[in-house]
Amino acid sequence: MDNLTSNNKKLLRYFKPKKYINFFKQYPRLQNLLKLKNRTTRFLLTKYYFNLVKKNKNLKNFFIDKSEEINQINFKSDDIFNDSNIVFKSLAYNGIVILEDVLNLNERENILNFFKEIENNNISSDWINREIIDASAVKYKDNDNVKISYIQKKIEYLPNLLKVVNFVTNKVFGKKVNTVAEFFLHNCKDVEKLDIHEDTKFHLDRYLPCLKIVYNPDKIDISGAPFGFIKKTHKLNNKFMNSFILDSKKCFLNENQLNEELKDNIMLSTCPANSLIITFTNGLHKRNVFQKKNIRRSVFFQFTDNFNFFSLLNYKNYN
């Protein structure tokens, strides 16, 4: 009997069921798809996932259905709660919207104070993990021109942003999806060279619906590394994107790979202080380079941990 128990333990250690559950739970990444060299295999896998997306009525509206043409991108924050749904119609059509005057002065000031803790390397308030992570050491290796400091805070400390995030996720996914506030501080020490990093080239994080919300407490102009996006590339039936996903060997595009239609739809998300970018990063996007010594403060909200492969399978719970 002891022998049998011992063998069972060995089998469990070998198979590690939790490892496989975690693998399937993860939201599919483009990097993993690119490991499949056979085009037909990629096609069948993406078709399977796209069919799951179609079964979620909200995702189908934003990522598959033909959308009403709305060319307006910038809105006042109250517009998001408007019965006309114009903000979400624009988001469905373009893949990006910008809300202005999002927070009251007190909450914006609180966020700027949180960033001061990071800048001064003096963590005094409540954070999920009190260690500031040097994200640039991982992302940019030996290049230290742009230092990225990163730390997480519970979103409940940002009540007005929590209200907006819950409202947006309910509209996009079909129900509220939880997340945390990710504070990113980009400190650029000098002018950046063009396209030196993968994230400063147009790329996509996922090939399935992927929502990202970014709060900017400060004004971001063209020299301050604004978010770049190619409108309409978030649609899963976009012919260029389908071809790129099936044929590409890398996650990013070089400038010479962009056709005229894509170039016509490039936008720089320069925005006033106290603004919120809502976008779909399964569409082509990038961080534009810093054109001068500068600091960029951004709070990111991402959802692939809590809206994952099992969420796609459980589409009835979101309809």
Side-chain angles (χ1 to χ4, degrees):
M1 187 71 174
D2 287 343
N3 241 0
L4 190 59
T5 304
S6 175
N7 287 337
N8 285 342
K9 285 180 179 177
K10 285 178 184 176
L11 277 171
L12 282 173
R13 277 200 300 270
Y14 177 77
F15 285 111
K16 295 181 181 175
K18 187 176 179 181
K19 170 182 159 186
Y20 293 98
I21 290 171
N22 287 338
F23 173 80
F24 284 108
K25 187 178 178 182
Q26 289 176 357
Y27 203 60
R29 299 183 67 89
L30 182 59
Q31 289 92 328
N32 293 332
L33 185 71
L34 298 186
K35 292 175 184 176
L36 301 175
K37 305 303 179 187
N38 185 285
R39 192 180 195 274
T40 303
T41 306
R42 284 192 196 183
F43 172 76
L44 292 173
L45 184 61
T46 54
K47 185 176 181 181
Y48 168 72
Y49 282 133
F50 290 0
N51 282 333
L52 283 180
V53 172
K54 287 179 186 177
K55 294 180 179 181
N56 179 313
K57 291 186 293 188
N58 291 63
L59 294 182
K60 183 173 178 288
N61 170 57
F62 284 100
F63 297 95
I64 294 173
D65 291 347
K66 185 175 180 180
S67 303
E68 178 184 346
E69 182 176 346
I70 305 283
N71 292 312
Q72 182 181 353
I73 300 290
N74 289 56
F75 298 89
K76 292 297 181 184
S77 59
D78 288 345
D79 291 340
I80 198 171
F81 304 111
N82 194 304
D83 289 341
S84 70
N85 274 330
I86 188 169
V87 172
F88 292 103
K89 288 177 182 178
S90 175
L91 182 60
Y93 180 71
N94 295 295
I96 184 170
V97 293
I98 298 172
L99 302 183
E100 300 177 3
D101 299 321
V102 178
L103 300 181
N104 60 46
L105 290 176
N106 284 341
E107 188 159 333
R108 177 176 177 265
E109 193 62 34
N110 285 341
I111 288 173
L112 288 172
N113 286 332
F114 293 146
F115 273 111
K116 282 180 185 175
E117 293 182 37
I118 302 170
E119 291 174 60
N120 298 330
N121 198 21
N122 181 21
I123 301 303
S124 54
S125 64
D126 188 18
W127 298 81
I128 293 173
N129 187 328
R130 297 178 67 82
E131 178 188 2
I132 300 172
I133 296 169
D134 181 2
S136 47
V138 177
K139 185 174 273 194
Y140 299 149
K141 308 299 182 194
D142 298 328
N143 189 312
D144 62 353
N145 189 34
V146 178
K147 182 178 180 181
I148 308 173
S149 301
Y150 165 81
I151 190 168
Q152 293 182 338
K153 185 175 280 287
K154 289 181 180 178
I155 193 174
E156 286 75 15
Y157 287 104
L158 314 172
N160 288 309
L161 282 177
L162 173 61
K163 179 184 176 183
V164 175
V165 166
N166 284 346
F167 191 77
V168 172
T169 54
N170 188 63
K171 285 281 189 181
V172 172
F173 298 112
K175 64 186 290 188
K176 181 185 76 172
V177 177
N178 295 326
T179 188
V180 297
E182 299 177 294
F183 282 65
F184 283 91
L185 179 74
H186 287 70
N187 187 352
C188 178
K189 301 170 187 176
D190 202 354
V191 176
E192 274 190 289
K193 295 178 182 177
L194 287 173
D195 295 343
I196 192 171
H197 305 300
E198 283 190 14
D199 70 336
T200 61
K201 300 177 182 180
F202 279 112
H203 64 281
L204 55 153
D205 304 331
R206 315 275 174 164
Y207 56 95
L208 294 177
C210 188
L211 171 67
K212 186 176 286 186
I213 300 176
V214 185
Y215 175 72
N216 301 300
D218 305 311
K219 176 183 176 180
I220 296 182
D221 59 21
I222 196 167
S223 66
F227 180 79
F229 188 77
I230 302 183
K231 295 180 290 184
K232 306 175 192 175
T233 55
H234 67 293
K235 292 289 189 180
L236 300 188
N237 44 16
N238 181 296
K239 289 181 180 178
F240 179 90
M241 295 302 290
N242 280 336
S243 176
F244 174 70
I245 289 167
L246 294 178
D247 298 322
S248 183
K249 295 179 181 178
K250 52 188 187 298
C251 300
F252 61 87
L253 285 167
N254 293 314
E255 198 70 27
N256 60 6
Q257 293 177 271
L258 301 178
N259 61 34
E260 289 306 311
E261 183 181 356
L262 292 174
K263 289 177 181 177
D264 287 343
N265 281 294
I266 291 174
M267 68 166 287
L268 293 177
S269 301
T270 54
C271 47
N274 195 25
S275 60
L276 193 74
I277 298 171
I278 305 171
T279 189
F280 296 133
T281 53
N282 58 296
L284 290 168
H285 64 284
K286 68 176 181 177
R287 174 181 71 77
N288 284 282
V289 297
F290 284 97
Q291 296 179 15
K292 63 180 181 181
K293 183 178 178 181
N294 208 340
I295 288 179
R296 191 184 79 171
R297 303 168 184 86
S298 304
V299 186
F300 280 62
F301 303 95
Q302 306 187 77
F303 306 93
T304 52
D305 283 344
N306 291 316
F307 188 89
N308 49 46
F309 173 58
F310 290 150
S311 307
L312 287 176
L313 283 175
N314 194 24
Y315 59 87
K316 289 183 180 178
N317 197 34
Y318 291 81
N319 286 337

Tab-separated table of all heavy atoms in Angstrom, residues 156-199:
chain	number	residue	atom	x	y	z
A	156	GLU	N	-8.989	49.789	-5.522
A	156	GLU	CA	-9.942	50.393	-4.584
A	156	GLU	C	-9.436	51.728	-4.027
A	156	GLU	O	-10.231	52.537	-3.535
A	156	GLU	CB	-10.230	49.422	-3.431
A	156	GLU	CG	-11.119	48.243	-3.800
A	156	GLU	CD	-10.413	47.180	-4.610
A	156	GLU	OE1	-9.151	47.198	-4.664
A	156	GLU	OE2	-11.108	46.328	-5.205
A	157	TYR	N	-8.123	51.957	-4.090
A	157	TYR	CA	-7.582	53.245	-3.649
A	157	TYR	C	-7.837	54.354	-4.673
A	157	TYR	O	-7.522	55.523	-4.407
A	157	TYR	CB	-6.079	53.124	-3.379
A	157	TYR	CG	-5.767	52.352	-2.107
A	157	TYR	CD1	-5.318	51.040	-2.171
A	157	TYR	CD2	-5.941	52.938	-0.858
A	157	TYR	CE1	-5.037	50.324	-1.019
A	157	TYR	CE2	-5.666	52.232	0.300
A	157	TYR	CZ	-5.215	50.927	0.219
A	157	TYR	OH	-4.954	50.223	1.364
A	158	LEU	N	-8.402	53.987	-5.825
A	158	LEU	CA	-8.709	54.955	-6.883
A	158	LEU	C	-10.190	54.819	-7.219
A	158	LEU	O	-10.567	54.307	-8.282
A	158	LEU	CB	-7.851	54.675	-8.128
A	158	LEU	CG	-6.355	54.415	-7.889
A	158	LEU	CD1	-5.668	53.973	-9.167
A	158	LEU	CD2	-5.685	55.657	-7.329
A	159	PRO	N	-11.085	55.249	-6.325
A	159	PRO	CA	-12.517	54.928	-6.439
A	159	PRO	C	-13.187	55.402	-7.720
A	159	PRO	O	-14.031	54.696	-8.283
A	159	PRO	CB	-13.138	55.584	-5.197
A	159	PRO	CG	-12.127	56.584	-4.738
A	159	PRO	CD	-10.788	56.042	-5.121
A	160	ASN	N	-12.840	56.586	-8.193
A	160	ASN	CA	-13.492	57.083	-9.417
A	160	ASN	C	-13.005	56.340	-10.655
A	160	ASN	O	-13.777	56.079	-11.585
A	160	ASN	CB	-13.279	58.593	-9.562
A	160	ASN	CG	-14.096	59.380	-8.552
A	160	ASN	OD1	-15.297	59.170	-8.430
A	160	ASN	ND2	-13.453	60.265	-7.806
A	161	LEU	N	-11.721	56.001	-10.682
A	161	LEU	CA	-11.216	55.177	-11.780
A	161	LEU	C	-11.828	53.779	-11.716
A	161	LEU	O	-12.131	53.177	-12.751
A	161	LEU	CB	-9.689	55.096	-11.746
A	161	LEU	CG	-8.954	56.325	-12.288
A	161	LEU	CD1	-7.446	56.169	-12.131
A	161	LEU	CD2	-9.297	56.575	-13.753
A	162	LEU	N	-12.007	53.259	-10.512
A	162	LEU	CA	-12.648	51.948	-10.352
A	162	LEU	C	-14.046	51.952	-10.966
A	162	LEU	O	-14.439	51.009	-11.670
A	162	LEU	CB	-12.722	51.590	-8.866
A	162	LEU	CG	-13.510	50.332	-8.505
A	162	LEU	CD1	-12.901	49.092	-9.153
A	162	LEU	CD2	-13.574	50.150	-6.989
A	163	LYS	N	-14.793	53.028	-10.739
A	163	LYS	CA	-16.152	53.138	-11.301
A	163	LYS	C	-16.110	53.077	-12.828
A	163	LYS	O	-16.899	52.355	-13.458
A	163	LYS	CB	-16.786	54.448	-10.835
A	163	LYS	CG	-18.186	54.687	-11.377
A	163	LYS	CD	-18.707	56.058	-10.932
A	163	LYS	CE	-20.073	56.367	-11.554
A	163	LYS	NZ	-20.547	57.726	-11.185
A	164	VAL	N	-15.182	53.824	-13.436
A	164	VAL	CA	-15.075	53.842	-14.899
A	164	VAL	C	-14.617	52.491	-15.428
A	164	VAL	O	-15.168	51.961	-16.404
A	164	VAL	CB	-14.101	54.951	-15.365
A	164	VAL	CG1	-13.904	54.886	-16.878
A	164	VAL	CG2	-14.629	56.324	-14.973
A	165	VAL	N	-13.603	51.904	-14.793
A	165	VAL	CA	-13.076	50.602	-15.230
A	165	VAL	C	-14.161	49.531	-15.166
A	165	VAL	O	-14.318	48.729	-16.095
A	165	VAL	CB	-11.847	50.205	-14.379
A	165	VAL	CG1	-11.496	48.733	-14.582
A	165	VAL	CG2	-10.648	51.086	-14.734
A	166	ASN	N	-14.925	49.512	-14.088
A	166	ASN	CA	-16.009	48.524	-13.970
A	166	ASN	C	-17.056	48.723	-15.057
A	166	ASN	O	-17.573	47.755	-15.637
A	166	ASN	CB	-16.667	48.625	-12.595
A	166	ASN	CG	-15.827	48.019	-11.486
A	166	ASN	OD1	-14.873	47.288	-11.755
A	166	ASN	ND2	-16.165	48.311	-10.250
A	167	PHE	N	-17.370	49.974	-15.352
A	167	PHE	CA	-18.374	50.273	-16.374
A	167	PHE	C	-17.884	49.831	-17.753
A	167	PHE	O	-18.639	49.227	-18.525
A	167	PHE	CB	-18.674	51.777	-16.380
A	167	PHE	CG	-19.870	52.153	-17.202
A	167	PHE	CD1	-21.149	51.937	-16.737
A	167	PHE	CD2	-19.715	52.728	-18.468
A	167	PHE	CE1	-22.256	52.286	-17.503
A	167	PHE	CE2	-20.808	53.077	-19.240
A	167	PHE	CZ	-22.094	52.859	-18.750
A	168	VAL	N	-16.611	50.090	-18.054
A	168	VAL	CA	-16.052	49.723	-19.360
A	168	VAL	C	-15.959	48.210	-19.509
A	168	VAL	O	-16.339	47.652	-20.554
A	168	VAL	CB	-14.660	50.366	-19.551
A	168	VAL	CG1	-13.991	49.829	-20.820
A	168	VAL	CG2	-14.784	51.886	-19.627
A	169	THR	N	-15.476	47.522	-18.490
A	169	THR	CA	-15.336	46.056	-18.617
A	169	THR	C	-16.699	45.385	-18.753
A	169	THR	O	-16.842	44.405	-19.492
A	169	THR	CB	-14.569	45.457	-17.427
A	169	THR	OG1	-15.190	45.850	-16.190
A	169	THR	CG2	-13.124	45.907	-17.419
A	170	ASN	N	-17.690	45.921	-18.078
A	170	ASN	CA	-19.034	45.369	-18.215
A	170	ASN	C	-19.543	45.519	-19.648
A	170	ASN	O	-20.180	44.613	-20.195
A	170	ASN	CB	-19.986	46.068	-17.240
A	170	ASN	CG	-21.351	45.412	-17.201
A	170	ASN	OD1	-21.489	44.253	-16.816
A	170	ASN	ND2	-22.362	46.147	-17.625
A	171	LYS	N	-19.238	46.660	-20.276
A	171	LYS	CA	-19.660	46.899	-21.661
A	171	LYS	C	-18.898	46.009	-22.647
A	171	LYS	O	-19.477	45.479	-23.601
A	171	LYS	CB	-19.429	48.369	-22.037
A	171	LYS	CG	-20.423	49.326	-21.435
A	171	LYS	CD	-21.733	49.317	-22.202
A	171	LYS	CE	-22.648	50.424	-21.738
A	171	LYS	NZ	-23.949	50.415	-22.480
A	172	VAL	N	-17.589	45.855	-22.426
A	172	VAL	CA	-16.744	45.135	-23.387
A	172	VAL	C	-16.872	43.627	-23.238
A	172	VAL	O	-17.037	42.903	-24.229
A	172	VAL	CB	-15.268	45.570	-23.241
A	172	VAL	CG1	-14.351	44.686	-24.098
A	172	VAL	CG2	-15.107	47.035	-23.634
A	173	PHE	N	-16.805	43.128	-22.008
A	173	PHE	CA	-16.783	41.674	-21.786
A	173	PHE	C	-18.161	41.084	-21.499
A	173	PHE	O	-18.370	39.884	-21.697
A	173	PHE	CB	-15.851	41.330	-20.623
A	173	PHE	CG	-14.416	41.709	-20.855
A	173	PHE	CD1	-13.818	42.714	-20.114
A	173	PHE	CD2	-13.658	41.063	-21.820
A	173	PHE	CE1	-12.495	43.068	-20.322
A	173	PHE	CE2	-12.331	41.406	-22.042
A	173	PHE	CZ	-11.754	42.409	-21.290
A	174	GLY	N	-19.081	41.920	-21.001
A	174	GLY	CA	-20.398	41.410	-20.647
A	174	GLY	C	-20.619	41.376	-19.152
A	174	GLY	O	-21.740	41.190	-18.685
A	175	LYS	N	-19.555	41.531	-18.373
A	175	LYS	CA	-19.655	41.640	-16.924
A	175	LYS	C	-18.381	42.286	-16.404
A	175	LYS	O	-17.374	42.361	-17.113
A	175	LYS	CB	-19.895	40.278	-16.274
A	175	LYS	CG	-18.768	39.284	-16.449
A	175	LYS	CD	-19.115	37.902	-15.901
A	175	LYS	CE	-19.198	37.899	-14.399
A	175	LYS	NZ	-19.339	36.524	-13.859
A	176	LYS	N	-18.424	42.745	-15.179
A	176	LYS	CA	-17.267	43.399	-14.572
A	176	LYS	C	-16.097	42.413	-14.476
A	176	LYS	O	-16.269	41.253	-14.112
A	176	LYS	CB	-17.648	43.892	-13.172
A	176	LYS	CG	-16.549	44.616	-12.433
A	176	LYS	CD	-16.973	44.953	-11.005
A	176	LYS	CE	-16.927	43.708	-10.123
A	176	LYS	NZ	-17.150	44.016	-8.702
A	177	VAL	N	-14.894	42.896	-14.804
A	177	VAL	CA	-13.679	42.081	-14.690
A	177	VAL	C	-12.709	42.813	-13.763
A	177	VAL	O	-12.395	43.990	-13.980
A	177	VAL	CB	-13.018	41.844	-16.070
A	177	VAL	CG1	-11.715	41.068	-15.913
A	177	VAL	CG2	-13.976	41.083	-16.992
A	178	ASN	N	-12.255	42.124	-12.731
A	178	ASN	CA	-11.382	42.736	-11.727
A	178	ASN	C	-9.960	42.927	-12.256
A	178	ASN	O	-9.499	42.188	-13.125
A	178	ASN	CB	-11.342	41.871	-10.465
A	178	ASN	CG	-12.692	41.811	-9.771
A	178	ASN	OD1	-13.449	42.779	-9.780
A	178	ASN	ND2	-13.005	40.673	-9.171
A	179	THR	N	-9.277	43.897	-11.686
A	179	THR	CA	-7.884	44.143	-12.055
A	179	THR	C	-7.202	44.916	-10.932
A	179	THR	O	-7.810	45.186	-9.890
A	179	THR	CB	-7.797	44.921	-13.383
A	179	THR	OG1	-6.431	44.975	-13.810
A	179	THR	CG2	-8.328	46.338	-13.235
A	180	VAL	N	-5.943	45.270	-11.141
A	180	VAL	CA	-5.205	46.108	-10.197
A	180	VAL	C	-4.692	47.330	-10.952
A	180	VAL	O	-4.706	47.368	-12.185
A	180	VAL	CB	-4.009	45.352	-9.561
A	180	VAL	CG1	-4.501	44.173	-8.739
A	180	VAL	CG2	-3.022	44.900	-10.628
A	181	ALA	N	-4.252	48.332	-10.217
A	181	ALA	CA	-3.664	49.530	-10.818
A	181	ALA	C	-2.157	49.337	-10.907
A	181	ALA	O	-1.495	49.101	-9.895
A	181	ALA	CB	-4.000	50.760	-9.979
A	182	GLU	N	-1.630	49.418	-12.132
A	182	GLU	CA	-0.200	49.232	-12.358
A	182	GLU	C	0.426	50.593	-12.656
A	182	GLU	O	0.142	51.204	-13.679
A	182	GLU	CB	0.029	48.277	-13.531
A	182	GLU	CG	-0.550	46.898	-13.295
A	182	GLU	CD	-0.379	45.982	-14.500
A	182	GLU	OE1	-0.991	46.268	-15.548
A	182	GLU	OE2	0.379	45.008	-14.391
A	183	PHE	N	1.268	51.046	-11.749
A	183	PHE	CA	1.909	52.356	-11.884
A	183	PHE	C	3.222	52.203	-12.651
A	183	PHE	O	4.109	51.448	-12.227
A	183	PHE	CB	2.170	52.961	-10.509
A	183	PHE	CG	0.954	53.564	-9.859
A	183	PHE	CD1	-0.122	52.774	-9.483
A	183	PHE	CD2	0.882	54.930	-9.638
A	183	PHE	CE1	-1.246	53.328	-8.887
A	183	PHE	CE2	-0.242	55.503	-9.044
A	183	PHE	CZ	-1.305	54.696	-8.670
A	184	PHE	N	3.323	52.902	-13.782
A	184	PHE	CA	4.538	52.888	-14.606
A	184	PHE	C	5.121	54.296	-14.652
A	184	PHE	O	4.441	55.243	-15.037
A	184	PHE	CB	4.233	52.432	-16.032
A	184	PHE	CG	4.046	50.954	-16.190
A	184	PHE	CD1	2.786	50.377	-16.071
A	184	PHE	CD2	5.129	50.126	-16.474
A	184	PHE	CE1	2.610	49.015	-16.220
A	184	PHE	CE2	4.966	48.769	-16.631
A	184	PHE	CZ	3.709	48.198	-16.503
A	185	LEU	N	6.379	54.393	-14.270
A	185	LEU	CA	7.096	55.659	-14.354
A	185	LEU	C	8.239	55.505	-15.354
A	185	LEU	O	9.184	54.759	-15.112
A	185	LEU	CB	7.650	56.054	-12.984
A	185	LEU	CG	8.441	57.363	-12.928
A	185	LEU	CD1	7.497	58.555	-13.037
A	185	LEU	CD2	9.247	57.464	-11.643
A	186	HIS	N	8.107	56.163	-16.507
A	186	HIS	CA	9.166	56.166	-17.526
A	186	HIS	C	10.044	57.398	-17.328
A	186	HIS	O	9.540	58.529	-17.395
A	186	HIS	CB	8.570	56.209	-18.940
A	186	HIS	CG	7.934	54.934	-19.378
A	186	HIS	ND1	6.761	54.456	-18.848
A	186	HIS	CD2	8.319	54.031	-20.330
A	186	HIS	CE1	6.431	53.312	-19.449
A	186	HIS	NE2	7.359	53.032	-20.348
A	187	ASN	N	11.312	57.181	-17.078
A	187	ASN	CA	12.257	58.287	-16.894
A	187	ASN	C	13.272	58.250	-18.029
A	187	ASN	O	14.147	57.385	-18.062
A	187	ASN	CB	12.951	58.159	-15.539
A	187	ASN	CG	13.823	59.372	-15.223
A	187	ASN	OD1	14.019	60.245	-16.073
A	187	ASN	ND2	14.356	59.419	-14.022
A	188	CYS	N	13.119	59.179	-18.992
A	188	CYS	CA	14.013	59.221	-20.153
A	188	CYS	C	15.150	60.211	-19.892
A	188	CYS	O	14.914	61.385	-19.612
A	188	CYS	CB	13.236	59.629	-21.409
A	188	CYS	SG	14.279	59.756	-22.869
A	189	LYS	N	16.370	59.718	-19.991
A	189	LYS	CA	17.544	60.544	-19.682
A	189	LYS	C	18.055	61.327	-20.888
A	189	LYS	O	18.799	62.291	-20.750
A	189	LYS	CB	18.662	59.647	-19.142
A	189	LYS	CG	18.252	58.876	-17.891
A	189	LYS	CD	19.283	57.828	-17.523
A	189	LYS	CE	18.793	56.955	-16.376
A	189	LYS	NZ	19.735	55.864	-16.068
A	190	ASP	N	17.661	60.895	-22.092
A	190	ASP	CA	18.121	61.578	-23.306
A	190	ASP	C	17.195	61.223	-24.459
A	190	ASP	O	16.357	60.336	-24.344
A	190	ASP	CB	19.557	61.153	-23.627
A	190	ASP	CG	20.274	62.164	-24.513
A	190	ASP	OD1	19.614	63.119	-24.964
A	190	ASP	OD2	21.463	61.988	-24.767
A	191	VAL	N	17.361	61.884	-25.595
A	191	VAL	CA	16.541	61.612	-26.787
A	191	VAL	C	16.723	60.151	-27.201
A	191	VAL	O	17.841	59.629	-27.228
A	191	VAL	CB	16.947	62.543	-27.952
A	191	VAL	CG1	16.171	62.200	-29.208
A	191	VAL	CG2	16.709	63.989	-27.566
A	192	GLU	N	15.600	59.495	-27.515
A	192	GLU	CA	15.653	58.093	-27.942
A	192	GLU	C	15.847	57.981	-29.447
A	192	GLU	O	15.356	58.814	-30.211
A	192	GLU	CB	14.344	57.388	-27.592
A	192	GLU	CG	14.265	56.836	-26.204
A	192	GLU	CD	13.037	55.958	-26.045
A	192	GLU	OE1	11.918	56.515	-26.020
A	192	GLU	OE2	13.188	54.739	-25.926
A	193	LYS	N	16.508	56.921	-29.863
A	193	LYS	CA	16.601	56.618	-31.289
A	193	LYS	C	15.309	55.933	-31.730
A	193	LYS	O	14.675	55.208	-30.965
A	193	LYS	CB	17.796	55.708	-31.557
A	193	LYS	CG	19.139	56.351	-31.271
A	193	LYS	CD	20.267	55.360	-31.524
A	193	LYS	CE	21.619	55.994	-31.191
A	193	LYS	NZ	22.732	55.019	-31.367
A	194	LEU	N	14.931	56.146	-32.974
A	194	LEU	CA	13.713	55.542	-33.512
A	194	LEU	C	13.831	54.026	-33.585
A	194	LEU	O	14.873	53.482	-33.967
A	194	LEU	CB	13.407	56.088	-34.914
A	194	LEU	CG	12.878	57.529	-34.993
A	194	LEU	CD1	12.794	57.962	-36.449
A	194	LEU	CD2	11.508	57.625	-34.342
A	195	ASP	N	12.744	53.346	-33.213
A	195	ASP	CA	12.612	51.891	-33.396
A	195	ASP	C	13.755	51.083	-32.793
A	195	ASP	O	14.111	50.018	-33.295
A	195	ASP	CB	12.489	51.542	-34.886
A	195	ASP	CG	11.210	52.096	-35.501
A	195	ASP	OD1	10.303	52.441	-34.734
A	195	ASP	OD2	11.136	52.179	-36.731
A	196	ILE	N	14.330	51.568	-31.700
A	196	ILE	CA	15.427	50.826	-31.095
A	196	ILE	C	14.916	49.640	-30.270
A	196	ILE	O	15.604	48.639	-30.089
A	196	ILE	CB	16.316	51.754	-30.227
A	196	ILE	CG1	17.615	51.044	-29.842
A	196	ILE	CG2	15.571	52.254	-29.003
A	196	ILE	CD1	18.627	51.946	-29.182
A	197	HIS	N	13.673	49.735	-29.765
A	197	HIS	CA	13.078	48.663	-28.965
A	197	HIS	C	11.845	48.109	-29.676
A	197	HIS	O	11.212	48.801	-30.460
A	197	HIS	CB	12.670	49.180	-27.584
A	197	HIS	CG	13.778	49.831	-26.825
A	197	HIS	ND1	14.932	49.171	-26.489
A	197	HIS	CD2	13.908	51.101	-26.340
A	197	HIS	CE1	15.727	49.997	-25.811
A	197	HIS	NE2	15.137	51.165	-25.728
A	198	GLU	N	11.496	46.870	-29.347
A	198	GLU	CA	10.323	46.256	-29.966
A	198	GLU	C	9.040	47.012	-29.607
A	198	GLU	O	8.129	47.113	-30.426
A	198	GLU	CB	10.198	44.796	-29.542
A	198	GLU	CG	11.172	43.875	-30.260
A	198	GLU	CD	10.880	42.402	-30.021
A	198	GLU	OE1	9.779	42.076	-29.523
A	198	GLU	OE2	11.755	41.578	-30.335
A	199	ASP	N	8.958	47.543	-28.377
A	199	ASP	CA	7.718	48.215	-27.994
A	199	ASP	C	7.577	49.604	-28.611
A	199	ASP	O	6.528	50.235	-28.494
A	199	ASP	CB	7.564	48.268	-26.472
A	199	ASP	CG	8.552	49.207	-25.804
A	199	ASP	OD1	9.611	49.468	-26.394
A	199	ASP	OD2	8.265	49.680	-24.680
